[in-house]
Amino acid sequence: CTIFPNPSSDKITISHPAFTGFSNLSIFNVSGKLVMERQLTNDETQINISTLPRGVYFVRLQDEKTVEGGKIVKE
């Protein structure tokens, strides 16, 4: 999956063309606490992160067959 822009202050776009059907997006802070969760249905989805405090976050994208991870920086 591809996450852009990174870093971002308000919105990120997640592109995941290899995933099929529904995908679950989870965003965790550096302490491992789940701070956001969404169900994705499109190959490319925009997520509003403006309510999150500044910092580094870990992203997990999972469908029925695959799990991918990434990191984003919220400015």
Side-chain angles (χ1 to χ4, degrees):
C1 76
T2 305
I3 303 169
F4 59 93
N6 193 9
S8 178
S9 60
D10 58 355
K11 294 179 182 176
I12 58 171
T13 300
I14 299 176
S15 176
H16 50 99
F19 283 83
T20 58
F22 292 98
S23 302
N24 290 318
L25 170 75
S26 304
I27 300 178
F28 302 89
N29 65 16
V30 292
S31 300
K33 180 181 176 186
L34 179 66
V35 295
M36 187 178 293
E37 193 168 36
R38 298 280 188 275
Q39 190 169 48
L40 309 180
T41 57
N42 297 322
D43 290 352
E44 192 168 285
T45 305
Q46 195 171 67
I47 304 290
N48 184 348
I49 60 167
S50 63
T51 59
L52 296 176
R54 291 180 178 178
V56 175
Y57 294 88
F58 299 99
V59 177
R60 182 178 68 198
L61 191 61
Q62 180 177 358
D63 69 4
E64 54 275 345
K65 296 180 183 177
T66 310
V67 176
E68 287 193 33
K71 180 173 74 171
I72 57 171
V73 177
K74 165 68 165 53
E75 294 181 323

